[in-house]
């Protein structure tokens, strides 16, 4: 008799996912720690398993066995679709985005984002999980769209979802052209008191690190706490000049793109190093280290794209860009 150890449903799903991603059977066996024979059996049953389901009543089957098989065979094609962009832009939003693009072109010029803006600032958060490996292997919820969808008014679907619950690492992060990450500070709660204190403590050093020939110009989003009266008073004290971007415009703050790269790197590291257990303090340290390790070249390339984003706003009437 051949002994077969128990293989959980999660392991089977992971094996099928790796197969759909184009890995060989031996590579799948190595990554999933499932024997080569079991990998072959799981992959070969991926399409045929519907035929073994015995239906004993209930609602009439909508799809035939052939249709179900066709759907499974097209999973890889479906994976080429893109996740929908966030946000619903009203006509007023489009006008504000277009006006911002015209202001940038006429008032500041093409070197605004590289030579005149000292830094790009935003708050971000990353959800803590005690088992990062399980979280990294779990399917990520997405709302899929066609390539012609989602970049204009009417798209409200969000992108990746990471689940709820647990603690969250909250950070204030600033990046600067030619200088990389110049600030990365954990915080507990974002409000006017905290942010005004952050401005008084950090902005002078951040302007110095940015090294933009004395420029006091910076960009952040429209978070109410970061634009409250205490925050504005603190900015005035340090002679900081805010270039405010339009509402619902994360594509106009390049630090948002860096946050996406950090999230991808955290997930990839959990898989690569098989991190099965992690404390909150260790996770926070790993997030900060990941942010600070983003190459300056990557940050500069992201900021370089801002001029192209402005051109896209001018040509498409303020609609969302692919960034």
């Amino acid at each position: 008799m051949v002994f077969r150890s128990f293989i959980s449903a999660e392991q089977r799903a992971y094996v099928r996912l790796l197969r759909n991603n184009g890995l060989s059977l031996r590579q799948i066996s190595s990554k999933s720690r499932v024997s080569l024979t079991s990998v072959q059996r799981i992959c070969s049953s991926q399409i045929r398993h519907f035929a073994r389901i015995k239906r004993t009543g209930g609602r009439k089957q909508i799809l035939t066995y052939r249709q179900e098989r066709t759907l499974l065979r097209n999973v890889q094609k479906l994976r080429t679709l893109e996740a929908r962009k966030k946000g619903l832009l009203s006509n007023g939003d489009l006008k504000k985005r277009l006006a911002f693009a015209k202001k940038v072109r006429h008032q500041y010029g093409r070197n605004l984002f590289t030579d005149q803006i000292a830094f790009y600032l935003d708050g971000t958060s990353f959800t803590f999980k005690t088992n990062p490996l399980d979280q990294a292997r779990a399917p990520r919820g997405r709302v899929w769209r066609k390539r012609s969808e989602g970049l204009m008014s009417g798209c409200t679907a969000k992108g990746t979802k990471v689940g709820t619950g647990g603690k969250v690492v909250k950070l204030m992060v600033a990046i600067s052209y030619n200088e990389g990450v110049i600030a990365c500070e954990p915080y507990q709660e974002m409000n006017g008191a905290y942010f005004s204190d952050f401005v008084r403590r950090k902005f002078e050093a951040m302007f110095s690190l940015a090294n933009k020939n004395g420029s006091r110009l910076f960009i952040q989003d429209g978070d109410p706490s970061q634009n409250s009266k205490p925050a504005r008073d603190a900015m005035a004290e340090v002679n900081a000049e805010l270039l405010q971007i339009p509402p619902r415009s994360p594509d106009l703050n390049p630090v948002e793109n860096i946050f996406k790269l950090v999230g991808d790197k955290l997930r990839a590291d959990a898989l690569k190093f098989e991190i099965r257990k992690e404390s909150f303090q260790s996770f926070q340290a790993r997030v900060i280290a990941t942010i600070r390790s983003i190459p300056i070249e990557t940050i500069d390339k992201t900021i370089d794209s801002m001029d192209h984003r402005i051109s896209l706003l001018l040509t498409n009437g303020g609609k969302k860009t692919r960034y």
Side-chain angles (χ1 to χ4, degrees), residues 24-168:
S24 69
L25 297 180
R26 290 190 180 277
Q27 290 173 323
I28 296 172
S29 177
S30 176
K31 286 183 70 68
S32 63
R33 298 191 175 184
V34 175
S35 70
L36 182 59
T37 303
S38 296
V39 168
Q40 290 174 321
R41 185 176 67 253
I42 293 170
C43 292
S44 64
S45 66
Q46 183 175 358
I47 295 176
R48 298 197 308 268
H49 75 283
F50 282 106
R52 297 197 297 270
I53 299 176
K54 183 178 180 181
R55 300 189 179 274
T56 59
R59 182 178 297 178
K60 183 179 179 181
Q61 184 177 1
I62 297 176
L63 298 178
T64 66
Y65 164 66
R66 183 179 294 276
Q67 289 171 328
E68 291 176 338
R69 186 178 62 182
T70 301
L71 286 174
L72 284 174
R73 284 178 173 172
N74 282 280
V75 165
Q76 191 62 38
K77 293 182 181 179
L78 293 174
R79 289 181 182 278
T80 63
L81 298 175
E82 300 174 357
R84 293 192 180 191
K85 304 291 184 180
K86 288 194 287 185
L88 172 64
L89 294 179
S90 65
N91 290 331
D93 292 331
L94 296 177
K95 291 178 181 178
K96 291 177 183 178
R97 286 166 60 86
L98 185 58
F100 176 81
K102 291 179 178 178
K103 175 183 176 181
V104 167
R105 280 286 185 265
H106 298 153
Q107 185 173 333
Y108 294 100
R110 291 184 174 273
N111 69 339
L112 167 67
F113 299 102
T114 56
D115 298 341
Q116 299 178 52
I117 292 179
F119 54 82
Y120 302 83
L121 177 69
D122 199 9
T124 186
S125 61
F126 298 89
T127 305
F128 165 67
K129 299 293 183 181
T130 56
N131 191 331
L133 182 60
D134 274 358
Q135 181 63 31
R137 285 176 172 174
R140 291 180 289 175
R142 289 181 180 271
V143 180
W144 299 103
R145 69 169 177 87
K146 299 177 182 178
R147 290 190 181 276
S148 59
E149 256 189 302
L151 297 181
M152 58 189 68
S153 177
C155 176
T156 58
K158 294 184 178 180
T160 306
K161 299 175 178 60
V162 296
T164 58
K167 299 180 181 179
V168 176

Side-chain angles (χ1 to χ4, degrees), residues 185 191-203 230-231 234:
E185 177 179 284
N191 51 42
Y194 164 75
F195 189 72
S196 58
D197 178 66
F198 178 83
V199 170
R200 294 185 177 96
R201 287 186 296 105
K202 295 288 187 177
F203 266 37

Side-chain angles (χ1 to χ4, degrees), residues 200-233:
R200 294 185 177 96
R201 287 186 296 105
K202 295 288 187 177
F203 266 37
E204 199 61 49
M206 289 162 61
F207 282 123
S208 178
L209 289 171
N211 192 27
K212 294 296 181 292
N213 298 318
S215 172
R216 312 290 286 188
L217 195 62
F218 75 101
I219 278 182
Q220 66 181 17
D221 63 18
D223 184 285
S225 299
Q226 296 173 217
N227 293 275
S228 61
K229 187 178 186 305
R232 294 197 306 271
D233 291 343

